[in-house]
Short mmCIF file of all heavy atoms in Angstrom, two decimals:
data_model
loop_
_atom_site.label_atom_id
_atom_site.label_comp_id
_atom_site.label_asym_id
_atom_site.label_seq_id
_atom_site.Cartn_x
_atom_site.Cartn_y
_atom_site.Cartn_z
N GLY A 902 5.84 16.47 18.20
CA GLY A 902 6.93 17.04 17.41
C GLY A 902 7.48 18.29 18.04
O GLY A 902 6.76 19.05 18.70
N SER A 903 8.76 18.55 17.83
CA SER A 903 9.36 19.74 18.42
C SER A 903 10.33 20.40 17.45
O SER A 903 10.87 19.75 16.55
CB SER A 903 10.10 19.40 19.72
OG SER A 903 11.21 18.57 19.46
N ASN A 904 10.53 21.72 17.64
CA ASN A 904 11.47 22.52 16.84
C ASN A 904 11.18 22.45 15.35
O ASN A 904 12.09 22.52 14.52
CB ASN A 904 12.92 22.08 17.11
CG ASN A 904 13.34 22.38 18.53
OD1 ASN A 904 13.28 21.50 19.39
ND2 ASN A 904 13.75 23.61 18.80
N ASN A 905 9.91 22.29 15.00
CA ASN A 905 9.53 22.27 13.59
C ASN A 905 9.10 23.65 13.14
O ASN A 905 8.45 24.40 13.89
CB ASN A 905 8.39 21.27 13.38
CG ASN A 905 8.79 19.86 13.74
OD1 ASN A 905 9.76 19.33 13.20
ND2 ASN A 905 8.07 19.24 14.67
N ASN A 906 9.45 24.00 11.92
CA ASN A 906 9.17 25.32 11.37
C ASN A 906 8.21 25.16 10.20
O ASN A 906 8.57 24.60 9.16
CB ASN A 906 10.48 25.97 10.90
CG ASN A 906 10.30 27.45 10.59
OD1 ASN A 906 9.19 27.98 10.65
ND2 ASN A 906 11.40 28.10 10.24
N ILE A 907 6.99 25.65 10.36
CA ILE A 907 5.96 25.58 9.32
C ILE A 907 5.81 26.98 8.78
O ILE A 907 5.21 27.86 9.40
CB ILE A 907 4.64 25.03 9.90
CG1 ILE A 907 4.88 23.64 10.50
CG2 ILE A 907 3.56 24.97 8.84
CD1 ILE A 907 3.71 23.11 11.32
N TYR A 908 6.35 27.23 7.58
CA TYR A 908 6.61 28.60 7.15
C TYR A 908 6.26 28.78 5.67
O TYR A 908 6.67 28.00 4.80
CB TYR A 908 8.10 28.91 7.35
CG TYR A 908 8.49 30.34 7.07
CD1 TYR A 908 8.45 31.30 8.07
CD2 TYR A 908 8.92 30.72 5.80
CE1 TYR A 908 8.81 32.61 7.82
CE2 TYR A 908 9.28 32.03 5.54
CZ TYR A 908 9.23 32.98 6.55
OH TYR A 908 9.59 34.28 6.30
N GLY A 909 5.49 29.82 5.38
CA GLY A 909 5.28 30.23 4.00
C GLY A 909 4.42 29.32 3.16
O GLY A 909 4.42 29.42 1.94
N ASN A 910 3.64 28.44 3.80
CA ASN A 910 2.78 27.53 3.06
C ASN A 910 1.43 28.17 2.75
O ASN A 910 0.99 29.10 3.43
CB ASN A 910 2.54 26.25 3.88
CG ASN A 910 3.83 25.56 4.25
OD1 ASN A 910 4.42 24.85 3.46
ND2 ASN A 910 4.28 25.78 5.50
N THR A 911 0.75 27.61 1.76
CA THR A 911 -0.62 28.01 1.46
C THR A 911 -1.54 26.86 1.82
O THR A 911 -1.46 25.77 1.23
CB THR A 911 -0.79 28.35 -0.03
OG1 THR A 911 0.04 29.47 -0.35
CG2 THR A 911 -2.25 28.70 -0.34
N PHE A 912 -2.40 27.08 2.82
CA PHE A 912 -3.40 26.10 3.25
C PHE A 912 -4.75 26.55 2.72
O PHE A 912 -5.13 27.71 2.87
CB PHE A 912 -3.45 26.00 4.77
CG PHE A 912 -2.19 25.49 5.40
CD1 PHE A 912 -1.18 26.37 5.79
CD2 PHE A 912 -2.01 24.14 5.61
CE1 PHE A 912 -0.01 25.90 6.38
CE2 PHE A 912 -0.84 23.66 6.20
CZ PHE A 912 0.16 24.54 6.58
N ARG A 913 -5.49 25.60 2.14
CA ARG A 913 -6.76 26.00 1.56
C ARG A 913 -7.79 24.87 1.70
O ARG A 913 -7.54 23.73 1.31
CB ARG A 913 -6.58 26.37 0.08
CG ARG A 913 -7.80 26.95 -0.60
CD ARG A 913 -7.51 27.31 -2.05
NE ARG A 913 -6.55 28.42 -2.16
CZ ARG A 913 -5.33 28.29 -2.69
NH1 ARG A 913 -4.93 27.12 -3.16
NH2 ARG A 913 -4.52 29.33 -2.75
N ASN A 914 -8.92 25.20 2.32
CA ASN A 914 -10.09 24.30 2.36
C ASN A 914 -9.79 22.94 2.99
O ASN A 914 -10.27 21.90 2.54
CB ASN A 914 -10.66 24.09 0.95
CG ASN A 914 -11.16 25.39 0.34
OD1 ASN A 914 -11.61 26.29 1.05
ND2 ASN A 914 -11.08 25.50 -0.98
N ASN A 915 -9.01 22.96 4.06
CA ASN A 915 -8.80 21.76 4.87
C ASN A 915 -9.68 21.82 6.11
O ASN A 915 -9.99 22.92 6.60
CB ASN A 915 -7.33 21.67 5.31
CG ASN A 915 -6.37 21.67 4.15
OD1 ASN A 915 -6.21 20.69 3.45
ND2 ASN A 915 -5.70 22.82 3.93
N PRO A 916 -10.11 20.68 6.68
CA PRO A 916 -10.85 20.75 7.94
C PRO A 916 -10.02 21.39 9.05
O PRO A 916 -10.56 22.06 9.93
CB PRO A 916 -11.19 19.29 8.24
CG PRO A 916 -10.30 18.48 7.37
CD PRO A 916 -10.00 19.31 6.17
#
Side-chain angles (χ1 to χ4, degrees):
S903 66
N904 294 97
N905 299 303
N906 192 356
I907 302 170
Y908 185 89
N910 303 280
T911 297
F912 295 90
R913 187 179 294 114
N914 298 329
N915 303 284

